[in-house]
Amino acid sequence: MKQILFAGVIGLFLTLVGTPLLIKLLARKGYGQYIRDDGPREHASKRGTPTMGGIAFILATVAAYFLAKLVTGYVDPKADAAPTFSGLLVLGLMVGMGLVGFLDDYIKIVKRRSLGLRAKAKMSGQLIVGITFAVLALQFADNRGNTPASTKLSFITDFGWTIGPVLFVIWALFMILAMSNGVNLTDGLDGLATGASVLVFGAYTFIGVWQFQESCANATTLTNPGACYEVRDPLDLAVVASALMGSCLGFLWWNTSPAKIFMGDTGSLALGGVLAGLAICSRTELLVAILGGLFVLITMSVVIQVGSFKLTGKRVFRMAPLQHHFELKGWSEVLVVVRFWIIQGICVIVGLGIFYAGWAADK
């Protein structure tokens, strides 16, 4: 349990101290944000703000994870709380998706090509990272036969029939791409995606701890073994989630309005990817749609807007994604962000309530 606390604190400290150094470096190199001309006029003042800030919390999260192991003395591969395959795979997914986002940001800013990576190249990068994660997540079984991921669909635990490795890879890719695009679309206002992510990672820290305490591996000591969780490394997933929560919280200090730095695609693709990875490895694949409800809501606003325009020639919202619709209605940026954070908080509460209710019902 100490690792969870240390990971969060170390991640928070590293981004609080390290982000301003990154801001100075990016500003010196002139790596500033491109602002759409058709967006809210108030956003014009943000042009030139350093971007690619996702580098800060990606590096901080990885460092916090391993430093927490080092500080608590669990660097020996044979130790019970040593780095696990589940934790390493989720971190690898975050870094891989972040690298794809970094290349996209780099081409936009340094090469002065507003669209960044070509669509095929960007999709290819995401597919390579996603397939690698999905294939490896079905390997490395523990002494109970549990691999980091399962070929069954899951809500609060696995359910239904086995879908097989091929369909699992397709399903995992869908989740990774959907969550990455969801966070990317949400990252349109200062601190919005970062603050929402802090809440979701906090929920996954709790879920990991709860699953560890009620693990089927401890069935002999549980009051009701039928309500246990078959998750390979729940406590280590909680360490990863805590490191992410702390790192994003420290980054939020600099990313909140008026933002001194933006996360860019580097950060948004990484956050979406790691969120999908946590859901897959903790057997909460469908629950993440509730826990990350704000990301789903904003994604659906874009789908509705595009679909309505193509079918009827009319727009449902003044502008998509949804946060810009409310800006154009006269809400201030800070008001939109705070109210959307509240929506995200409600989604987390509902999601955790469902998670606990499922356990209580089995008990």
Side-chain angles (χ1 to χ4, degrees):
M1 296 297 182
K2 290 182 180 179
Q3 287 188 29
I4 297 172
L5 176 61
F6 278 118
V9 171
I10 293 171
L12 173 65
F13 174 78
L14 289 177
T15 46
L16 277 175
V17 175
T19 303
L21 300 178
L22 180 63
I23 293 172
K24 292 180 181 178
L25 175 64
L26 294 174
R28 189 181 305 123
K29 290 183 174 294
Y31 293 173
Q33 177 68 37
Y34 166 80
I35 302 296
R36 292 168 52 183
D37 293 329
D38 60 342
R41 287 175 296 178
E42 293 79 3
H43 288 203
S45 61
K46 300 180 181 184
R47 184 174 282 109
T49 301
T51 188
M52 294 193 290
I55 295 171
F57 57 74
I58 291 173
L59 294 179
T61 298
V62 174
Y65 174 81
F66 286 105
L67 286 174
K69 302 286 182 183
L70 183 64
V71 169
T72 54
Y74 292 112
V75 291
D76 183 352
K78 296 181 180 180
D80 291 338
T84 66
F85 287 113
S86 297
L88 294 176
L89 281 172
V90 172
L91 289 174
L93 179 59
M94 175 187 68
V95 173
M97 294 297 288
L99 180 59
V100 175
F102 173 80
L103 292 174
D104 191 42
D105 286 334
Y106 184 82
I107 292 173
K108 286 178 185 176
I109 297 164
V110 178
K111 301 299 183 180
R112 304 297 179 184
R113 197 169 79 201
S114 61
L115 295 179
L117 278 174
R118 305 294 184 191
K120 289 184 178 179
K122 188 174 182 179
M123 179 60 71
S124 297
Q126 291 176 303
L127 289 176
I128 291 171
V129 174
I131 291 173
T132 301
F133 167 82
V135 171
L136 292 178
L138 293 178
Q139 314 303 317
F140 312 113
D142 62 9
N143 55 10
R144 292 179 57 82
N146 289 323
T147 53
S150 168
T151 53
K152 291 184 177 180
L153 296 178
S154 61
F155 183 40
I156 54 177
T157 57
D158 285 342
F159 70 87
W161 297 279
T162 300
I163 61 175
V166 175
L167 287 179
F168 166 76
V169 170
I170 295 172
W171 170 242
L173 281 174
F174 170 78
M175 286 191 61
I176 292 167
L177 294 175
M179 293 310 301
S180 296
N181 287 326
V183 178
N184 184 256
L185 291 170
T186 304
D187 183 35
L189 301 181
D190 294 355
L192 178 57
T194 310
S197 297
V198 168
L199 294 171
V200 184
F201 292 134
Y204 270 107
T205 303
F206 171 82
I207 287 173
V209 172
W210 188 269
Q211 289 178 333
F212 172 74
Q213 292 176 338
E214 302 294 329
S215 173
C216 294
N218 306 322
T220 55
T221 62
L222 298 178
T223 56
N224 181 17
C228 65
Y229 298 93
E230 282 287 7
V231 177
R232 190 190 191 281
D233 306 298
L235 195 61
D236 207 42
L237 293 176
V239 175
V240 173
S242 179
L244 282 160
M245 179 176 62
S247 298
C248 287
L249 191 59
F251 181 75
L252 182 61
W253 181 272
W254 305 102
N255 181 234
T256 194
S257 184
K260 299 294 187 293
I261 188 170
F262 300 136
M263 69 170 68
D265 282 5
T266 305
S268 61
L269 294 186
L271 290 181
V274 76
L275 185 53
L278 286 170
I280 292 168
C281 291
S282 65
R283 311 292 201 270
T284 56
E285 295 164 357
L286 298 180
L287 184 65
V288 75
I290 300 174
L291 291 171
L294 180 65
F295 304 132
V296 176
L297 178 65
I298 287 176
T299 301
M300 289 306 300
S301 73
V302 175
V303 173
I304 291 170
Q305 183 85 326
V306 173
S308 175
F309 186 76
K310 286 187 175 181
L311 291 173
T312 67
K314 297 180 180 180
R315 293 179 172 86
V316 176
F317 307 104
R318 296 188 179 185
M319 184 177 180
L322 188 61
Q323 60 268 33
H324 299 314
H325 167 78
F326 288 102
E327 277 193 292
L328 294 177
K329 286 191 67 175
W331 291 19
S332 69
E333 179 175 4
V334 173
L335 181 62
V336 175
V337 170
V338 172
R339 286 182 173 173
F340 275 40
W341 282 349
I342 292 172
I343 293 173
Q344 178 56 57
I346 294 171
C347 291
V348 166
I349 291 170
V350 171
L352 289 178
I354 293 172
F355 177 78
Y356 176 78
W359 174 84
D362 289 336
K363 187 174 181 180

